[in-house]
Amino acid sequence: MLTLPTALRGAFKEPFGPVYTDPEELLSDASSEATGAPLVAVGDVVTYHLRRAGRPPSVAVIDGKTKREAVGDEIRDAIETGHVVEVANEPGTISRELVSALVDALAADEPTTLLVAGEEDLATLPAALAAPVDSTIVYGQPDEGMVRIRVTEAVKTEMRDLLDQFEGDVADVLAPIQG
């Protein structure tokens, strides 16, 4: 398991990409960049908005919460659909189980929802490493909107550099991504 060190928390205050409040605009920008590439949503409310906009993510990573509070019934019922895989990931960490589930979900033929027991907040980092170049990762920026990341080699390097600063055995936790 990797643990986010207190000194690194500030690196997550600024969004890793453009912030959107309109899911249709986000999806339009994402589709103009990479037709057919996977769309990965990290967060319950983000997943809800993408599904309501008519574009269910290839992979959704949810934990039943938003801002540490349980999501309402409407959101929960809309996002816990299709192929659901339960995975454990403690708050402030990235587990090997989560990384492995992300890799499997990206390789699956059907859309997959990873229902995290714990917290999904840091899943954006391994998702960007596991997803193919030109994929889109969308995650929530509290009180601002949805952040869109187009996966590039530079983004993969940035995410790997951040993960290298976590406490724990990075090579072991990320082993499912390397093959």
Side-chain angles (χ1 to χ4, degrees):
M1 175 171 37
L2 299 178
T3 303
L4 176 66
T6 304
L8 194 57
R9 292 186 189 272
F12 296 91
K13 298 289 184 207
E14 291 298 315
F16 291 113
V19 179
Y20 295 79
T21 56
D22 179 2
E24 284 85 6
E25 181 183 359
L26 182 151
L27 289 168
S28 174
D29 288 354
S31 67
S32 69
E33 292 174 352
T35 304
L39 172 65
V40 178
V42 177
D44 297 62
V45 175
V46 167
T47 300
Y48 172 77
H49 284 298
L50 294 175
R51 287 193 172 147
R52 291 221 19 176
R55 179 62 166 87
S58 308
V59 179
V61 186
I62 63 172
D63 64 3
K65 294 175 251 167
T66 183
K67 298 184 200 175
R68 313 259 188 265
E69 299 292 326
V71 295
D73 292 344
E74 179 184 1
I75 292 176
R76 188 186 67 249
D77 293 344
I79 61 177
E80 288 185 25
T81 61
H83 182 65
V84 178
V85 175
E86 294 184 20
V87 60
N89 191 75
E90 294 178 28
T93 71
I94 298 171
S95 67
R96 183 175 175 150
E97 183 181 353
L98 174 63
V99 173
S100 182
L102 278 165
V103 169
D104 291 347
L106 282 161
D109 292 332
E110 63 183 322
T112 302
T113 299
L114 303 180
L115 178 57
V116 176
E119 185 178 86
E120 95 299 76
D121 292 5
L122 296 172
T124 299
L125 282 74
L129 288 178
V133 168
D134 289 331
S135 298
T136 298
I137 313 289
V138 182
Y139 70 92
Q141 186 78 7
D143 300 317
E144 291 187 43
M146 298 171 287
V147 179
R148 178 181 56 84
I149 301 171
R150 179 174 168 253
V151 178
T152 63
E153 290 300 334
V155 164
K156 287 178 178 283
T157 298
E158 178 183 8
M159 298 302 158
R160 179 60 193 238
D161 289 348
L162 283 169
L163 287 167
D164 283 341
Q165 297 175 60
F166 277 54
E167 297 166 356
D169 188 340
V170 175
D172 178 62
V173 172
L174 298 182
I177 294 172
Q178 275 70 18

